[in-house]
Amino acid sequence: MASFSLRSFTGLRQTSPDSQAVTLFKPQIGRSTGRRSLQVKASKSSPKVTGRNLRVAVIGGGPAGGAAAETLAKGGVETILIERKMDNCKPCGGAIPLCMVGEFDIPLDIIDRRVTRMKMISPSNVAVDIGRTLKPHEYIGMVRREVLDAFLRDRAAAAGAEVINGLFLKMELPKAPNAPYVLQYTSYDSKSGAVGERRTLEVDAVIGADGANSRVAKAIDAGDYEYAIAFQERIKIPDDKMAYYEDMAEMYVGDDVSPDFYGWVFPKCDHVAVGTGTVTHKADIKKYQLATRNRAKDKILGGKIIRVEAHPIPEHPRPKRLADRVALVGDAAGYVTKCSGEGIYFAAKSGRMCAEAIVEGSENGKRMIDESDLRKYLEKWDKTYWPTYKVLDVLQKVFYRSNPAREAFVEMCASEYVQRMTFDSYLYKRVVPGNPLEDLKLAVNTIGSLVRANALRKEMEKLSA
């Protein structure tokens, strides 16, 4: 059996000597017990902030920025959130795990669909039904980003954060210890009109939640990363077609829909989101999108495209994710998983964890913070989620490299053991060692699937010769 050398994720912790082996599948969950109270651990040597509370700017109003701003405001920190597009419609599948609904108190009325069935469709159009292992209360939530993002921002504002409709431009770094960061932005409030008004803002710390093209990341020279282009069309389909997608989502794999990712059809309130992505062949993204639409054509026949969206999606964490009193979260930090392309939960979670570190380090906004406070956020993040990133990196390397490998992957997804572990991993965000006997059976079956898929490919090549 071929061995695969794993590239370490830049910026994430290395494995400890006793955790070098990464089990391919076996996530397991412990349900979240809810929000914990923040334990104050500020250094008594940190200077107190006089005449006001610690002031933090959150740049970006997506899930990462909204979660960060709410946590900061509730923790006694003066919080300013700057977001340019208040109706942001990012080309995102919009799937959120069950644990996010509970951890972030997401109201059920903003969840468009509760997906309990999925079809994984191979390059040869073999479809495997997934979801048989879900318990009655379990589902994958489908949301529209403009709805979710607005909800999180509004909740941050209700907690005391100031939300500014503005475009962050640049910032001047402090010229002395504990001196402020000077931010420049264009405000688009009702007084400044469509052109906007150039303004400045002084803050003690900055959280960069401004996405894959983060200007905050550039300001601290955080380095570049590989990224995918995601392309999505929202398609309004007839009611009888929409009934099929009531609680169903589809994922298509194959060289036709993407050389290194997958295509999707995810249901929303009154339409479906059809999309795909690629890292290696960005110039061909529209060709892959057309192929994805064609693969699903019978089920979306008569549909009308109501919105087209495209956006870069990071493929791994940035080389540097903090500097002094500036930290990156969400897509700005590179927190999107390979193989699945998931980022919403990790964005919101990283925003909250970063904000918690600031609240703790500042004694609820009473003291100045420094880089050591923000580093606690990184250490906690890496310890908690490093295994998840590595496992999904392995999956992408093994199963997305060729059509025969994708056929084997889809065949493997028919296993209830694989489905149970995969859904446990996705729904609850924990990875633990698997059952040794079942893992051995899985390895044997996977090899068999790969052999059969390669044999089929060779026969097809003979027929076409």
Side-chain angles (χ1 to χ4, degrees):
M1 185 175 179
S3 62
F4 294 88
S5 175
L6 302 184
R7 175 177 60 82
S8 296
F9 283 95
T10 307
L12 292 182
R13 69 182 180 91
Q14 299 292 326
T15 50
S16 58
D18 61 350
S19 62
Q20 292 293 328
V22 178
T23 303
L24 192 58
F25 287 92
K26 183 57 182 175
Q28 201 50 272
I29 161 139
R31 285 298 300 269
S32 170
T33 57
R35 299 183 186 178
R36 63 183 180 84
S37 58
L38 298 184
Q39 185 179 6
V40 174
K41 295 182 179 178
S43 170
K44 296 303 179 183
S45 62
S46 298
K48 286 189 175 182
V49 181
T50 58
R52 59 175 177 83
N53 283 10
L54 187 79
R55 184 178 296 128
V56 177
V58 179
I59 309 302
E70 181 193 9
T71 303
L72 290 170
K74 285 185 173 180
V77 174
E78 184 180 341
T79 308
I80 303 96
L81 185 153
I82 301 175
E83 167 61 40
R84 174 64 183 100
K85 298 180 180 179
M86 294 298 187
D87 60 346
N88 180 38
C89 300
K90 186 177 178 181
C92 166
I96 61 172
L98 187 61
C99 64
M100 183 173 182
V101 178
E103 286 182 45
F104 290 87
D105 298 324
I106 304 298
L108 297 182
D109 61 358
I110 73 168
I111 298 175
D112 286 343
R113 302 279 174 171
R114 301 186 196 184
V115 168
T116 56
R117 299 181 299 141
M118 294 187 72
K119 284 189 182 292
M120 179 68 73
I121 303 170
S122 78
S124 61
N125 280 325
V126 172
V128 168
D129 292 320
I130 301 175
R132 300 191 304 273
T133 64
L134 286 177
K135 298 178 178 63
H137 71 281
E138 293 180 331
Y139 62 89
I140 297 171
M142 290 291 168
V143 299
R144 284 163 289 159
R145 281 293 303 273
E146 65 270 26
V147 176
L148 175 66
D149 294 7
F151 168 77
L152 293 174
R153 284 195 304 269
D154 290 346
R155 194 164 66 181
E162 179 185 359
V163 178
I164 296 175
N165 182 196
L167 174 64
F168 171 74
L169 301 173
K170 61 181 180 179
M171 66 181 179
E172 298 175 17
L173 303 181
K175 296 179 172 56
N178 300 322
Y181 290 83
V182 180
L183 277 54
Q184 297 185 24
Y185 68 98
T186 301
S187 173
Y188 295 98
D189 60 23
S190 57
K191 296 179 182 179
S192 59
V195 177
E197 180 182 336
R198 188 79 166 256
R199 296 179 184 175
T200 61
L201 174 69
E202 292 188 353
V203 295
D204 301 306
V206 179
I207 294 179
D210 49 339
N213 294 322
S214 171
R215 292 184 176 182
V216 176
K218 291 180 175 64
I220 63 171
D221 194 23
D224 295 324
Y225 47 29
E226 291 180 347
Y227 66 93
I229 288 294
F231 190 99
Q232 178 173 274
E233 296 167 321
R234 301 194 191 195
I235 303 179
K236 180 86 170 179
I237 59 177
D239 291 343
D240 61 324
K241 303 287 185 182
M242 197 68 208
Y244 170 78
Y245 288 108
E246 180 178 1
D247 59 357
M248 168 74 77
E250 294 180 324
M251 298 172 65
Y252 294 84
V253 292
D255 283 334
D256 58 330
V257 299
S258 176
D260 54 346
F261 204 60
Y262 62 88
W264 64 84
V265 181
F266 288 169
K268 300 305 170 82
C269 57
D270 61 353
H271 63 275
V272 291
V274 181
T276 186
T278 178
V279 177
T280 58
H281 293 68
K282 298 180 181 68
D284 295 325
I285 188 65
K286 290 187 177 181
K287 179 182 73 174
Y288 299 133
Q289 176 66 13
L290 177 61
T292 303
R293 202 165 62 234
N294 286 337
R295 291 275 291 273
K297 64 181 179 181
D298 292 339
K299 286 165 280 191
I300 62 174
L301 191 66
K304 178 183 178 182
I305 298 173
I306 58 177
R307 186 188 292 270
V308 178
E309 305 155 343
H311 201 273
I313 305 294
E315 277 288 288
H316 61 78
R318 287 191 189 273
K320 184 167 72 172
R321 291 169 287 156
L322 66 82
D324 197 12
R325 287 171 277 141
V326 179
L328 303 177
V329 295
D331 282 12
Y335 295 150
V336 176
T337 57
K338 286 194 173 183
C339 188
S340 67
E342 183 194 359
I344 297 177
Y345 173 81
F346 294 113
K349 190 71 173 180
S350 63
R352 175 178 284 180
M353 288 172 65
C354 182
E356 286 177 345
I358 292 173
V359 171
E360 292 176 2
S362 67
E363 289 187 345
N364 297 99
K366 303 303 180 186
R367 291 182 179 274
M368 182 61 65
I369 63 164
D370 59 27
E371 186 171 309
S372 67
D373 297 302
L374 294 176
R375 194 157 295 283
K376 291 176 183 177
Y377 138 66
L378 283 192
E379 291 170 354
K380 182 179 178 182
W381 175 269
D382 292 349
K383 181 178 180 180
T384 304
Y385 295 112
W386 183 87
T388 298
Y389 283 88
K390 294 302 289 185
V391 166
L392 292 175
D393 187 29
V394 172
L395 287 179
Q396 189 173 55
K397 282 180 168 65
V398 173
F399 293 111
Y400 281 22
R401 72 185 192 276
S402 67
N403 272 353
R406 295 184 187 101
E407 293 284 354
F409 177 59
V410 172
E411 182 178 328
M412 186 178 65
C413 287
S415 162
E416 287 196 8
Y417 177 64
V418 170
Q419 290 190 27
R420 184 173 66 253
M421 292 185 299
T422 301
F423 272 107
D424 281 352
S425 172
Y426 178 79
L427 293 177
Y428 303 113
K429 302 305 172 208
R430 294 301 167 97
V431 178
V432 296
N435 179 292
L437 179 59
E438 293 295 333
D439 286 344
L440 178 60
K441 292 179 182 178
L442 177 60
V444 171
N445 290 338
T446 300
I447 294 171
S449 297
L450 288 167
V451 170
R452 287 190 294 275
N454 274 295
L456 176 62
R457 177 180 59 81
K458 290 178 180 178
E459 290 301 318
M460 294 300 292
E461 288 174 351
K462 288 179 183 178
L463 291 174
S464 60

